[in-house]
Amino acid sequence: EPEVTQTPSHQVTQMGQEVILRCVPISNHLYFYWYRQILGQKVEFLVSFYNNEISEKSEIFDDQFSVERPDGSNFTLKIRSTKLEDSAMYFCASRTGLAGYNEQFFGPGTRLTVL
Amino acid sequence: DAKTTQPTSMDCAEGRAANLPCNHSTISGNEYVYWYRQIHSQGPQYIIHGLKNNETNEMASLIITEDRKSSTLILPHATLRDTAVYYCIVLPSGGGADGLTFGKGTHLIIQP
Protein backbone atom coordinates (compact mmCIF):
# COMPACT_ATOMS: atom_id res chain seq x y z
CA GLU A 1 0.00 0.00 0.00
CA PRO A 2 1.43 3.42 -0.92
CA GLU A 3 2.47 5.61 1.98
CA VAL A 4 3.89 9.02 2.79
CA THR A 5 7.51 8.91 3.89
CA GLN A 6 9.48 11.50 5.83
CA THR A 7 13.18 12.01 6.48
CA PRO A 8 14.92 12.26 8.82
CA SER A 9 12.94 10.62 11.60
CA HIS A 10 14.76 12.76 14.17
CA GLN A 11 16.67 16.01 13.62
CA VAL A 12 18.65 17.80 16.29
CA THR A 13 19.82 21.34 15.57
CA GLN A 14 21.16 24.40 17.30
CA MET A 15 19.01 27.49 17.75
CA GLY A 16 19.42 29.85 14.79
CA GLN A 17 20.30 27.11 12.32
CA GLU A 18 18.33 26.33 9.19
CA VAL A 19 16.64 22.96 8.85
CA ILE A 20 14.95 21.25 5.94
CA LEU A 21 12.44 18.51 6.58
CA ARG A 22 11.71 16.21 3.68
CA CYS A 23 8.61 14.35 2.64
CA VAL A 24 7.74 12.09 -0.27
CA PRO A 25 3.96 12.21 -0.74
CA ILE A 26 1.97 9.44 -2.37
CA SER A 27 2.71 9.58 -6.08
CA ASN A 28 -0.68 10.44 -7.61
CA HIS A 29 -1.69 12.90 -4.91
CA LEU A 30 -2.16 16.57 -5.71
CA TYR A 31 -2.55 18.29 -2.33
CA PHE A 32 0.26 18.44 0.21
CA TYR A 33 0.29 19.59 3.79
CA TRP A 34 2.54 20.21 6.78
CA TYR A 35 1.37 19.97 10.37
CA ARG A 36 3.22 20.17 13.66
CA GLN A 37 2.60 18.78 17.12
CA ILE A 38 4.39 20.18 20.13
CA LEU A 39 4.87 17.50 22.77
CA GLY A 40 1.66 16.92 24.70
CA GLN A 41 -0.36 19.31 22.55
CA LYS A 42 -2.73 18.95 19.64
CA VAL A 43 -1.82 18.60 15.98
CA GLU A 44 -1.73 22.04 14.31
CA PHE A 45 -2.07 22.83 10.62
CA LEU A 46 0.79 24.82 9.13
CA VAL A 47 0.35 25.03 5.36
CA SER A 48 -1.24 23.44 2.31
CA PHE A 49 0.22 23.33 -1.18
CA TYR A 50 -1.46 22.72 -4.51
CA ASN A 51 -0.48 23.31 -8.12
CA ASN A 52 2.99 24.44 -7.09
CA GLU A 53 1.89 27.17 -4.76
CA ILE A 54 0.73 27.70 -1.21
CA SER A 55 -3.05 27.42 -0.96
CA GLU A 56 -3.60 28.11 2.70
CA LYS A 57 -1.41 28.83 5.70
CA SER A 58 -1.96 29.26 9.40
CA GLU A 59 -0.73 32.04 11.68
CA ILE A 60 2.08 29.75 12.78
CA PHE A 61 3.50 29.68 9.24
CA ASP A 62 5.39 32.98 9.36
CA ASP A 63 8.32 34.26 7.30
CA GLN A 64 10.67 31.79 8.96
CA PHE A 65 8.91 28.93 7.20
CA SER A 66 8.85 28.04 3.53
CA VAL A 67 7.75 25.05 1.48
CA GLU A 68 8.88 23.77 -1.84
CA ARG A 69 8.24 20.95 -4.25
CA PRO A 70 11.63 20.91 -5.96
CA ASP A 71 10.88 17.95 -8.21
CA GLY A 72 8.05 15.57 -8.98
CA SER A 73 8.36 13.59 -5.78
CA ASN A 74 9.69 15.60 -2.83
CA PHE A 75 7.91 18.17 -0.69
CA THR A 76 10.05 20.10 1.79
CA LEU A 77 9.54 22.36 4.79
CA LYS A 78 12.33 24.79 5.57
CA ILE A 79 12.73 26.65 8.83
CA ARG A 80 15.17 29.47 8.24
CA SER A 81 16.38 30.26 11.73
CA THR A 82 15.15 27.77 14.28
CA LYS A 83 13.93 28.79 17.73
CA LEU A 84 13.57 26.66 20.84
CA GLU A 85 9.79 26.75 20.42
CA ASP A 86 10.08 25.10 17.00
CA SER A 87 10.84 21.84 18.78
CA ALA A 88 7.97 19.57 17.78
CA MET A 89 6.94 16.61 15.67
CA TYR A 90 6.34 17.68 12.08
CA PHE A 91 3.94 15.65 9.97
CA CYS A 92 3.59 15.75 6.21
CA ALA A 93 0.32 14.69 4.59
CA SER A 94 -1.06 14.33 1.09
CA ARG A 95 -4.36 13.59 -0.59
CA THR A 96 -5.84 13.00 -4.01
CA GLY A 97 -7.58 15.67 -6.03
CA LEU A 98 -11.02 14.08 -5.69
CA ALA A 99 -13.55 16.78 -4.91
CA GLY A 100 -15.27 16.47 -1.55
CA TYR A 101 -12.91 13.77 -0.37
CA ASN A 102 -10.50 15.01 2.27
CA GLU A 103 -8.83 11.76 3.30
CA GLN A 104 -5.35 12.92 4.13
CA PHE A 105 -2.57 10.36 4.40
CA PHE A 106 -0.01 11.27 7.04
CA GLY A 107 3.64 10.34 7.22
CA PRO A 108 5.32 9.03 10.37
CA GLY A 109 6.71 12.46 11.26
CA THR A 110 10.07 14.09 11.90
CA ARG A 111 10.91 14.92 15.48
CA LEU A 112 12.75 18.24 15.51
CA THR A 113 14.72 19.12 18.61
CA VAL A 114 16.18 22.64 18.82
CA LEU A 115 18.90 23.11 21.45
CA ASP B 1 -16.03 25.40 9.97
CA ALA B 2 -18.48 23.99 12.51
CA LYS B 3 -17.19 23.43 16.04
CA THR B 4 -17.23 19.91 17.49
CA THR B 5 -17.49 18.68 21.06
CA GLN B 6 -16.19 15.31 22.22
CA PRO B 7 -15.70 13.68 25.61
CA THR B 8 -12.14 13.96 26.87
CA SER B 9 -11.70 10.26 27.52
CA MET B 10 -13.46 6.91 27.40
CA ASP B 11 -12.70 3.34 28.39
CA CYS B 12 -13.86 0.23 26.60
CA ALA B 13 -13.22 -3.47 27.23
CA GLU B 14 -11.31 -5.39 24.61
CA GLY B 15 -13.65 -7.21 22.22
CA ARG B 16 -16.58 -4.92 22.94
CA ALA B 17 -17.93 -2.19 20.68
CA ALA B 18 -16.52 1.26 21.32
CA ASN B 19 -19.00 4.07 20.69
CA LEU B 20 -17.48 7.52 20.44
CA PRO B 21 -19.88 10.47 20.34
CA CYS B 22 -19.41 13.86 18.73
CA ASN B 23 -21.64 16.92 18.81
CA HIS B 24 -21.59 19.31 15.86
CA SER B 25 -24.77 21.28 16.34
CA THR B 26 -23.71 24.17 14.06
CA ILE B 27 -22.92 21.95 11.07
CA SER B 28 -24.15 23.35 7.78
CA GLY B 29 -25.74 21.50 4.89
CA ASN B 30 -22.60 21.12 2.78
CA GLU B 31 -20.29 19.98 5.58
CA TYR B 32 -19.07 16.43 6.05
CA VAL B 33 -18.16 14.71 9.32
CA TYR B 34 -14.69 13.17 9.28
CA TRP B 35 -13.06 10.94 11.87
CA TYR B 36 -9.32 10.57 12.32
CA ARG B 37 -7.30 8.96 15.06
CA GLN B 38 -3.76 9.28 16.36
CA ILE B 39 -2.07 6.34 17.95
CA HIS B 40 0.66 7.49 20.32
CA SER B 41 3.47 9.37 18.52
CA GLN B 42 2.27 8.32 15.07
CA GLY B 43 0.80 10.45 12.30
CA PRO B 44 -2.97 10.85 12.33
CA GLN B 45 -4.92 8.23 10.42
CA TYR B 46 -8.13 8.69 8.49
CA ILE B 47 -10.97 6.41 9.63
CA ILE B 48 -14.23 7.32 7.90
CA HIS B 49 -16.40 10.22 6.78
CA GLY B 50 -20.04 10.87 5.95
CA LEU B 51 -22.58 13.51 5.01
CA LYS B 52 -25.96 12.31 6.23
CA ASN B 53 -26.24 8.60 5.61
CA ASN B 54 -24.66 6.01 7.87
CA GLU B 55 -21.36 4.74 6.57
CA THR B 56 -19.34 1.59 7.17
CA ASN B 57 -15.88 0.52 6.12
CA GLU B 58 -13.38 -2.08 7.23
CA MET B 59 -12.34 0.00 10.24
CA ALA B 60 -15.54 1.44 11.65
CA SER B 61 -19.14 2.56 11.25
CA LEU B 62 -20.38 6.13 11.37
CA ILE B 63 -23.89 6.91 12.52
CA ILE B 64 -25.12 10.46 11.85
CA THR B 65 -28.37 11.63 13.42
CA GLU B 66 -31.16 12.73 11.13
CA ASP B 67 -30.73 16.40 12.09
CA ARG B 68 -26.96 15.96 11.56
CA LYS B 69 -26.20 17.69 14.85
CA SER B 70 -24.34 14.73 16.26
CA SER B 71 -22.65 11.52 15.20
CA THR B 72 -21.20 8.34 16.70
CA LEU B 73 -18.14 6.46 15.57
CA ILE B 74 -18.42 2.74 16.28
CA LEU B 75 -15.45 0.39 16.46
CA PRO B 76 -17.32 -2.93 16.46
CA HIS B 77 -14.76 -5.16 18.18
CA ALA B 78 -12.18 -3.00 19.89
CA THR B 79 -8.65 -4.31 20.29
CA LEU B 80 -5.75 -3.00 22.36
CA ARG B 81 -4.34 -1.47 19.16
CA ASP B 82 -7.38 0.81 18.97
CA THR B 83 -6.15 2.75 22.00
CA ALA B 84 -5.67 6.23 20.53
CA VAL B 85 -7.00 9.78 20.45
CA TYR B 86 -10.01 10.03 18.14
CA TYR B 87 -10.88 13.28 16.40
CA CYS B 88 -14.20 14.32 14.94
CA ILE B 89 -13.71 17.06 12.31
CA VAL B 90 -16.29 18.90 10.22
CA LEU B 91 -15.22 19.99 6.74
CA PRO B 92 -16.96 21.65 3.79
CA SER B 93 -17.71 19.40 0.85
CA GLY B 94 -15.53 21.41 -1.51
CA GLY B 95 -12.47 20.09 0.23
CA GLY B 96 -9.94 22.02 -1.71
CA ALA B 97 -6.71 22.53 0.15
CA ASP B 98 -8.36 22.85 3.55
CA GLY B 99 -6.08 21.93 6.40
CA LEU B 100 -7.55 19.82 9.16
CA THR B 101 -8.31 21.51 12.47
CA PHE B 102 -7.72 19.03 15.25
CA GLY B 103 -9.38 19.64 18.59
CA LYS B 104 -8.49 17.77 21.76
CA GLY B 105 -10.39 14.65 20.67
CA THR B 106 -11.38 11.66 22.79
CA HIS B 107 -8.67 9.53 24.34
CA LEU B 108 -10.02 6.00 23.98
CA ILE B 109 -8.40 3.44 26.23
CA ILE B 110 -9.09 -0.22 25.48
CA GLN B 111 -8.82 -2.30 28.63
CA PRO B 112 -7.68 -5.95 28.44
Side-chain angles (χ1 to χ4, degrees), chain A residues 99-114:
Chain A
Y101 193 62
N102 207 332
E103 177 185 352
Q104 295 185 21
F105 292 79
F106 283 77
T110 293
R111 179 168 299 284
L112 176 65
T113 302
V114 182

Side-chain angles (χ1 to χ4, degrees), chain B residues 4-73:
Chain B
T4 61
T5 305
Q6 298 178 251
T8 303
S9 65
M10 294 180 64
D11 286 354
C12 178
E14 189 178 17
R16 305 298 291 266
N19 297 277
L20 292 92
C22 178
N23 285 323
H24 32 79
S25 58
T26 60
I27 193 169
S28 60
N30 69 341
E31 289 181 318
Y32 283 76
V33 180
Y34 280 77
W35 284 83
Y36 280 76
R37 73 180 181 182
Q38 186 179 27
I39 296 169
H40 181 62
S41 295
Q42 297 182 22
Q45 178 189 24
Y46 165 84
I47 301 172
I48 199 167
H49 75 283
L51 183 63
K52 52 185 176 182
N53 297 319
N54 298 339
E55 302 287 345
T56 295
N57 64 19
E58 64 280 1
M59 287 182 69
S61 294
L62 174 60
I63 308 297
I64 303 174
T65 58
E66 196 169 333
D67 63 8
R68 302 207 325 120
K69 293 184 177 182
S70 65
S71 60
T72 300
L73 178 75

Side-chain angles (χ1 to χ4, degrees), chain A residues 28 40 49 54 56 59-61 65 78 88 93-95 101 108:
Chain A
N28 64 340
F49 192 86
I54 290 174
E56 186 184 338
E59 290 178 357
I60 303 168
F61 193 88
F65 292 90
K78 182 195 290 186
S94 69
R95 71 172 188 90
Y101 193 62

